[in-house]
Amino acid sequence: MTSTERPEQPEAREPLRLDLANQWVRRGAETLRLTPKAFAVLHLLAERAGQLVTKQELLDGVWPGTAVGDGVLATVVREIRSVLGDPASEPWLIETVHRRGYRLLETLAFEAPPPAAASNAVAGAPRLAIALPALVGRQAELDRLAAWWDTAVRGERQVVFVSGEPGIGKTALVDAFVGHHARTIDAYVGRGQCIEQHGAGEAYLPVLAALGELCREPGGERLVAQLRKHAPAWLSQMPAVLESLTAEEQSRLNLAGATRERMLREMTEALEAAAADRPFVLVLEDLHWSDSATLDLVALLARRRGAARLLVLGTYRSAEVIYRDHPLKGVKHELQLQGRCEELALGSLDAAAVGDYLGARFGAASSDDVQRNLAHALHERTDGIPLFVVSVVNDLVTRGAIVGVEGGWSARPEAYAAVGEMPASLRQLLERQLDQLGAAERTLVEVASVAGLEFSAAALAAGLGADPAEAEASCETLARREQWLAPRGSVEWPDRTFSARYGFVHALYRDVAYRRIPAARHAQLHLRIGERLETAFGPRAGEIATELALHFEQGRDPDRAARYLEQAAANALRRSAAAEAVGLLRHGIDVLSTLPDTHERQQRELTMQSALGAALTITEGYVAPAVERAYARAWELCQQFEDLSQLLPVAGLCRHAVVKGEHRKGEELAQRMLRLAERVGDRRLFMYAHGMLGYVLFWCGDFAKARTHLEKSRDLYDFEQDRFLPFVYGDDSNVAALAFLAFIDWLEGHVDRSLERSRESIALARQLDHPSVLTLALMLAAELHRLRGEAASTDALAAESLTLAREHGLSLFAAVNGLLRGWALAEQGELAGGIAALRRSLDAYRAIGADSGLPQYHAMLAEAHRRAGQTVDGLDVVERALEIMERTDERWWEADLHRLRGELLLASTGPAADAEVCFLRSIEIARDRRARSLELRSTISVARLWRDQGRTTEARQILAAICDCFTEGHGTRDLEEAAALLAELSTRGPAGSRSA
């Protein structure tokens, strides 16, 4: 039933009457229509008005022999409330008895059906069935599931994969387990299904569906409370549940920082907390169509070591996973090697089990021989595939080859011939059964296949161009005959359309119907259904963006398809599912390419290419060629528009150039960004342009200009407005600006202030709670402590950063932290281990393709070689560092490279004059760049050389001059070393002898 208006219950209510003949509810002259299942629930409640009717009694009475969850019942009750105007907050008709069931508060009158309304079904005729009426031939498998469930209930989490070919009975087994075991105790049972058409691009689709259904069940507020406490980022992805919270509750949700790692961490903690309250079964069906994010969650749940009363039960088709090389294959294999999962592979039924099925379905046969012979014939024809068995038997019943007799059933002689004539495959049999339907029903089934594996009657009606009530009635007729369709509860769209939902009894049924439709008809139907859904969801259409993208692409409307693919990618990024976003964006760009090359199309491609670059940075790293291609195309498009307000993401191209070591290219890009920002006048664009220009100039050694731009970037930063940017672009301009300003402070001699800036950078990064931002802040802080000569602090910060980098797959940061830890190890006396660690990390860094920072990283290794007395190796490393510096124009560490070269020349007993040239060159470069800390180091080196040459006065003068420039940082290593040397020089005479 579809209704866009909801009746308000008047103060003086007219009594309700149940019209049993038409299955309507009447209030005076008004007719209120319910879906068949909703009417059946109301009827059962009305028969026991004033009494508690348990959930199990309602499920058994309305869905006999079918394993459905409490969520379906809760959805039906919501439908009754909505149609009859019975608010759940202040009910006058149906009372919810928490966790137990429902009670009808008013007595309803009945309008009995006329005698002629009795069923016209043939007495004693066997009924059709869409599934095994009782699970046969699977007792061993059911016992294994029960044993795993008992283990989970005791607190030892279990992850079980049920595998097999289509139609083998995976879902039937899960239904039986849920009905006979999981529901015997007060457990959460959440079920979600992956969808073939868009499952791989819809991050966490089955998990969100399962949680959403559980939250809407009676008593679901307890789970909502758990999500609000442990998984607010997930709650933000569930609009229907979020709407149940007050505005104050929603405002308290901390939705910043919804990274992939946070999403995974939150859900594992929420499920474990919920399972501590009640044992939890999470059923994820058809994982062969799953997105990778859901598989990441399953893997994490399996690997967690803490106690949890949790069973994750996933089903999948073996062949689909193997032949398509689905990610599930690798995930399952790894978990099996670790002993973290179990697999239950289902095989075919034997002939005895087929006989048991016939007995369970129809009762006793006319003779044992009849049952045994027919079972043998069925098994031989169907290979014991349960769905094939059921479909063949349905066909025999329809043809009258199996008939009801007194006390049971009998097979007519032609039954055996009919079995032998059946098509040799289930697909062929289903095609024949579809042909046997009437024209109207066949059309309905075919259009339903376009609507989806599960669909609403309202969407189907749009495809048919029919009245929604008529479409629903036709679906109900097929469902009652247990042919092709089965009821799946009801749904309410944002435009207040309320409709029954149905689903195909198996994915194969839908597939057979879908393949029958001509291409032109496909397009027409998809377009109709897509437009109806788009209208129904209105401003909330983004919630079903993946589904709409599918309908519009198949409906040959590439413009809308691309728009919804872009929205679907944004949804994926909001769930921190970058891999899914990459796939959606690439597909969206391909769809866009089919449109005329207009200004609007180019602008949309710009947005998508920029988003693709950001997503690829997460999945492949800063220096991946694909990242450069995406950002380069976005930059090309930017320059074609007068409106450059979308330029901000193209900062990624500049960052890519810098990390690659192409500093002058990065500077040119940053300068152009700044000029364009001036034209546009956008604050954030200015902020990023100044920030990027500051970083590039720093690497190039222009510290004064770098400071100017970094401070301008800081001034433009607004925490409240910009705190979400890391979750879009992967970095935070203020955290980085603070860290680089700390370096410049140290270089310019503001040694204490540099430490304050670094601590401020870390504090901001922790507040933002973004993994890569915090990893970077800790890594840069470790680097600052290295500059200060503080090995222990360097090691501690690099270790924390390295842990984060490894946890979140940040290989670039992991390599740099490895270098810093290697340096710290060498500085603390472990020279062999430090050198080995430095070399390993340097190799890893180069393998990534990064060049930025290589001069200083080589200098760290060269210094370790010098300390170990390996001067030849040290000089070789320094020469390579200087070559890289010339190639990349990365000159911020140039002064110290010349100092280090001079120290190594002296240590190798080379000419002192050559070493002096290196020291003086280093001092000259440092002075030119106002890098007092580097000038101090080189001055210490030349002062020592002059001291050893007897040039004490010159040494004292040059060292005293630079020491006088420092007003802070006197406890740091370099200044303490300078002070000690100056004191020594002050006690020596002009020729180098000590004064009296």
Side-chain angles (χ1 to χ4, degrees), residues 622-623 651-670 691-700 740 812 845 849-854 888 890:
Y622 289 108
V623 296
L653 184 60
C654 184
R655 179 175 55 192
H656 174 87
V658 171
V659 176
K660 285 276 289 183
E662 299 169 350
H663 296 99
R664 291 307 174 188
K665 177 182 177 181
E667 181 183 2
E668 178 189 354
L669 288 168
M692 292 305 303
L693 190 52
Y695 312 146
V696 175
L697 291 170
F698 172 85
W699 292 118
C700 293
F740 278 88
L812 183 76
Y845 189 80
D851 271 356
S852 180
L854 279 179
T888 63
E890 182 180 314

Side-chain angles (χ1 to χ4, degrees), residues 54-59 63 67-78 99-102 178 182-183 185-191 213-214 216-219 278:
T54 68
K55 291 189 287 185
Q56 196 59 54
E57 288 173 326
L58 289 166
L59 291 171
W63 291 272
V68 297
D70 294 351
V72 174
L73 176 59
T75 300
V76 168
V77 171
R78 280 201 305 276
R99 295 175 60 179
R100 296 181 64 194
Y102 301 91
V178 168
R183 293 200 183 279
I185 63 175
D186 185 23
Y188 285 115
V189 179
R191 299 188 70 157
E213 196 64 43
L214 279 173
R216 291 189 292 271
E217 287 185 4
R278 296 162 62 186

Side-chain angles (χ1 to χ4, degrees), residues 783-829:
E783 174 65 34
L784 178 68
H785 282 278
R786 185 191 74 81
L787 298 178
R788 293 165 57 92
E790 297 161 347
S793 296
T794 298
D795 188 54
L797 288 163
E800 184 180 356
S801 183
L802 180 60
T803 298
L804 285 169
R806 287 174 173 168
E807 179 183 349
H808 302 296
L810 305 171
S811 56
L812 183 76
F813 294 165
V816 174
N817 281 302
L819 285 160
L820 291 167
R821 297 204 72 190
W823 173 86
L825 193 63
E827 283 291 307
Q828 295 174 95

Side-chain angles (χ1 to χ4, degrees), residues 204-258:
Y204 303 113
L205 172 67
V207 183
L208 287 166
L211 291 174
E213 196 64 43
L214 279 173
C215 288
R216 291 189 292 271
E217 287 185 4
E221 63 276 1
R222 292 167 63 184
L223 184 57
V224 173
Q226 296 282 13
L227 293 174
R228 188 165 61 243
K229 179 179 180 180
H230 298 284
W234 284 77
L235 205 54
S236 72
Q237 306 299 326
M238 303 162 64
V241 179
L242 200 60
E243 286 178 354
S244 67
L245 303 182
T246 65
E248 183 181 355
E249 287 173 327
Q250 292 186 40
S251 68
R252 287 202 298 265
L253 293 177
N254 176 21
L255 303 183

Side-chain angles (χ1 to χ4, degrees), residues 70-131:
D70 294 351
V72 174
L73 176 59
T75 300
V76 168
V77 171
R78 280 201 305 276
E79 176 192 341
I80 298 171
R81 292 190 190 280
S82 180
V83 173
L84 302 185
D86 179 42
S89 57
E90 298 181 9
W92 57 269
L93 180 62
I94 300 176
E95 177 188 11
T96 300
V97 182
H98 183 56
R99 295 175 60 179
R100 296 181 64 194
Y102 301 91
R103 180 184 292 110
L104 199 69
L105 300 176
E106 293 198 357
T107 301
L108 306 185
F110 292 89
E111 295 180 0
S119 171
N120 58 9
V122 178
R127 64 182 180 86
L128 292 177
I130 59 173

Side-chain angles (χ1 to χ4, degrees), residues 629-696:
R629 287 194 297 271
Y631 280 138
R633 174 59 178 162
W635 181 269
E636 177 187 343
L637 291 166
C638 279
Q639 297 174 82
Q640 299 179 22
F641 305 133
E642 290 295 325
D643 177 11
L644 295 163
S645 60
Q646 298 184 68
L647 185 60
L648 181 59
V650 190
L653 184 60
C654 184
R655 179 175 55 192
H656 174 87
V658 171
V659 176
K660 285 276 289 183
E662 299 169 350
H663 296 99
R664 291 307 174 188
K665 177 182 177 181
E667 181 183 2
E668 178 189 354
L669 288 168
Q671 291 282 10
R672 293 176 69 182
M673 280 180 63
L674 189 57
R675 290 195 297 271
L676 292 167
E678 291 169 352
R679 289 172 53 190
V680 175
D682 181 84
R683 177 188 64 83
R684 282 182 179 159
L685 183 54
F686 266 120
M687 179 181 72
Y688 267 90
H690 280 299
M692 292 305 303
L693 190 52
Y695 312 146
V696 175

